[in-house]
């Protein structure tokens, strides 16, 4: 038997390229720590010796305001440290690549995820199977998908919510709060819940903005307003505060920023610091690490939610491949990233209908890039865009 990691001339990693895209959002997306008007995505393309290719995405939110990685640091970590270590290796050995990169590079989980997705995509394409198949097979064809209300204005948010319900696009709404006073935020949530009534589930994401004291008032008010879940009310490292809140109120407490891979997942679960995990592929460090976070939640009896970093269709397709294999997603998903952007970068856009997002079909992650869109949105100006889309 060929030893794992042995170089096959056929599947050798020949080249790893990255580029940054800046795509405007359809409206300002007002979060507690930043207002987004553009989303920036880092795309990775891996070329293998047999001519096959794999693509991946590593995306964060609001520059450096959400977490420790920026689009520029993601690109530079891949170009400078990961690509040189991986070129020449057997491209079929995804686990070996993940383990090697984990040894060579601390943290930088979003950069790791981008490369790992491209490796899975390439492997799936070479084998003619989806990435979901590589993870044991899809058990869902579609998944419930939330929309985030974050215009910064209650009236606009209500109009947006009612329009989404009417169009059967979303009936789960995540409201971004934490920028205003707690009382004002609770009043804003209550107005929206009252407007949508039983036609929709209303949840909030505080993106770490509250102190424990704020959160005590906030959870009490949100619960009374009919809000079902609060995501990361306090800073990621406040595990005891999260545990107090999870134990003290009926409203579900979901961990997001606190979950950077399986080690965090184990600590959050064992300290009872959440009822639900928002599992993000990027934040976990890739599809495999995200699957480990999922397994920890399942073993601990916690709820699961498919989280996003507002990736383009590419990163969204990759996440859908993994979450298609997860038996119970009690809280659904928020894989709506492409819908927040003014333009689509996939030639085969992801389908949203009947309050669900459909799992892309086809080999690998099931995403084909639109070369002209890549050309238009790439930060460095468009000279090799057709190459990235494989033309
Ligand atoms: C986050 O913090 O969860 C996900 C949806 C959205 O609107 O923002 C993100 C980030
Ligand atoms: Mg969040």
């Amino acid at each position: 038997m060929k030893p794992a990691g042995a170089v096959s001339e056929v599947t050798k990693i020949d080249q790893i390229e990255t580029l940054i895209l800046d795509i405007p959002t359809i409206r300002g997306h007002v979060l507690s720590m930043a207002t987004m008007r553009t989303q920036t995505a880092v795309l990775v393309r891996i070329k293998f010796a047999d001519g096959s290719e794999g693509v991946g995405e590593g995306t964060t939110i609001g520059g450096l305001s959400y977490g420790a990685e920026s689009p520029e640091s993601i690109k530079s970590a891949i170009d400078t440290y990961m690509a040189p270590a991986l070129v020449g290796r057997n491209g079929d050995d995804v686990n070996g690549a993940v383990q090697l990169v984990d040894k060579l590079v601390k943290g930088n989980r979003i950069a790791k995820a981008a490369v790992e997705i491209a490796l899975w995509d390439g492997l799936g394409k070479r084998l003619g199977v989806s990435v979901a198949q590589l993870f044991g097979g899809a058990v869902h064809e579609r998944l419930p998908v939330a929309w985030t209300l974050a215009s910064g204005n209650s009236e606009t948010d209500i109009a947006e919510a009612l329009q989404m319900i009417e169009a059967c696009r979303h009936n789960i709404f995540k409201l971004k709060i934490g920028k205003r006073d707690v009382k004002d935020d609770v009043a804003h949530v209550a107005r929206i819940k009252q407007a949508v009534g039983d036609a929709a589930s209303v949840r909030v994401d505080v993106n770490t903005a509250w102190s424990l004291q704020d959160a005590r008032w906030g959870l009490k008010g949100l619960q009374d307003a009919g809000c079902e879940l609060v995501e990361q009310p306090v800073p990621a490292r406040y595990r005891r505060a999260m545990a107090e809140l999870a134990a003290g109120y009926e409203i579900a407490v979901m961990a997001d920023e606190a979950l950077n891979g399986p080690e965090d997942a184990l600590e959050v679960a064992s300290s009872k610091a959440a009822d639900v995990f928002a599992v993000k592929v990027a934040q976990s460090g890739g599809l495999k690490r995200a699957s480990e976070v999922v397994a920890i939640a399942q073993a601990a009896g916690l709820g699961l939610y498919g989280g996003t970093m507002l990736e383009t269709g590419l990163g969204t397709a990759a996440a859908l491949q993994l979450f298609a294999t997860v038996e119970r997603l009690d809280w659904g998903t928020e894989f709506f990233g492409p819908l927040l952007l003014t333009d689509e970068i996939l030639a085969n856009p992801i389908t949203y209908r009947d309050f669900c997002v459909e799992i892309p079909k086809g080999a690998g992650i099931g995403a084909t890039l639109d070369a002209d869109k890549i050309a238009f949105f790439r930060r460095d100006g468009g000279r090799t865009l057709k190459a990235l889309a494989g033309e």
Side-chain angles (χ1 to χ4, degrees), residues 213-271:
Q213 186 63 37
D214 287 339
R216 288 188 186 124
W217 282 111
L219 266 67
K220 187 167 174 289
L222 289 170
Q223 183 164 293
D224 291 346
C227 175
E228 292 173 22
L229 172 145
V230 55
E231 179 173 340
Q232 200 65 55
V234 294
R237 64 185 185 283
Y238 286 16
R239 285 209 186 106
R240 276 166 51 193
M242 289 281 279
E244 177 194 313
L245 297 168
Y249 301 88
E250 281 72 42
I251 184 171
V253 173
M254 182 158 79
D256 174 7
E257 282 88 336
L259 288 176
N260 291 278
E263 297 81 4
D264 278 353
L266 185 60
E267 290 195 11
V268 172
S270 49
S271 54

Side-chain angles (χ1 to χ4, degrees), residues 112-123:
K112 289 175 181 173
V115 171
E116 189 238 22
I117 290 168
L119 288 169
W120 286 119
D121 185 45
L123 179 58

Side-chain angles (χ1 to χ4, degrees), residues 13-316:
I13 298 173
D14 264 357
Q15 205 183 354
I16 302 183
E17 298 171 353
T18 55
L19 67 79
I20 294 181
L21 300 181
D22 296 301
I23 309 175
T25 56
I26 54 173
R27 56 154 166 72
H29 202 57
V30 184
L31 318 177
S32 66
M33 67 294 180
T35 296
M36 297 169 60
R37 299 192 188 282
T38 302
Q39 178 57 312
T40 300
V42 181
L43 302 197
V44 176
R45 181 180 63 155
I46 302 185
K47 283 186 184 168
F48 302 90
D50 66 347
S52 63
E53 293 184 359
V55 286
E57 175 177 351
T59 291
T60 186
I61 294 160
L64 275 172
S65 64
Y66 176 91
E69 288 177 89
S70 67
E72 297 74 21
S73 81
I74 293 166
K75 182 176 184 338
S76 133
I78 297 170
D79 293 346
T80 314
Y81 297 99
M82 298 181 195
L86 293 175
V87 167
R89 285 181 58 87
N90 178 1
D92 286 350
D93 179 23
V94 183
N95 284 341
V98 167
Q99 288 159 18
L100 176 67
V101 170
D102 272 348
K103 273 203 198 105
L104 297 176
V105 179
K106 301 291 170 251
N108 291 277
R109 289 180 182 274
I110 304 178
K112 289 175 181 173
V115 171
E116 189 238 22
I117 290 168
L119 288 169
W120 286 119
D121 185 45
L123 179 58
K125 283 176 178 151
R126 284 192 295 281
L127 296 175
V129 299
S130 68
V131 170
Q133 194 62 60
L134 298 177
F135 277 79
V139 294
H140 308 282
E141 287 187 353
R142 62 187 63 82
L143 292 168
V145 61
W147 175 253
T148 296
L149 300 171
S151 71
N153 175 284
S154 305
E155 293 310 318
T156 311
D157 284 355
I158 289 171
E160 207 171 283
L162 296 176
Q163 189 208 329
M164 297 293 181
I165 296 169
E166 172 77 24
C168 295
R169 219 182 72 180
H170 306 275
N171 57 6
I172 304 171
F173 298 108
K174 163 159 142 174
L175 282 46
K176 287 288 190 176
I177 61 171
K179 206 176 166 178
R180 299 171 269 220
D181 265 14
V182 177
K183 266 195 205 136
D184 294 340
D185 266 341
V186 169
H188 165 76
V189 176
R191 285 186 65 195
I192 293 177
K193 178 61 193 167
Q194 206 178 9
V196 299
D198 293 337
S201 165
V202 169
R203 301 133 184 219
V204 298
D205 188 356
V206 190
N207 283 115
T208 76
W210 285 345
S211 65
L212 176 58
Q213 186 63 37
D214 287 339
R216 288 188 186 124
W217 282 111
L219 266 67
K220 187 167 174 289
L222 289 170
Q223 183 164 293
D224 291 346
C227 175
E228 292 173 22
L229 172 145
V230 55
E231 179 173 340
Q232 200 65 55
V234 294
R237 64 185 185 283
Y238 286 16
R239 285 209 186 106
R240 276 166 51 193
M242 289 281 279
E244 177 194 313
L245 297 168
Y249 301 88
E250 281 72 42
I251 184 171
V253 173
M254 182 158 79
D256 174 7
E257 282 88 336
L259 288 176
N260 291 278
E263 297 81 4
D264 278 353
L266 185 60
E267 290 195 11
V268 172
S270 49
S271 54
K272 298 186 169 26
D275 304 302
V276 184
F277 279 6
V279 183
K280 293 180 171 173
V281 171
Q283 209 163 279
S284 299
L287 294 164
K288 182 149 171 50
R289 298 293 179 229
S291 75
E292 293 164 359
V293 174
V294 166
I296 290 167
Q298 288 167 330
L302 300 176
L304 278 169
Y305 179 69
T308 182
M309 293 290 256
L310 300 174
E311 285 95 346
T312 69
L314 203 169
T316 302

Side-chain angles (χ1 to χ4, degrees), residues 19 21 43-45 53-57 125 312-315 344-348 366-374 385-391:
L19 67 79
L21 300 181
L43 302 197
V44 176
R45 181 180 63 155
E53 293 184 359
V55 286
E57 175 177 351
K125 283 176 178 151
T312 69
L314 203 169
E344 176 58 62
I345 65 156
L346 296 190
N348 58 338
T368 305
L369 292 169
D370 178 327
D372 293 333
K373 299 293 178 59
I374 303 298
L385 68 121
K386 298 236 170 190
L388 184 86
E391 290 181 13

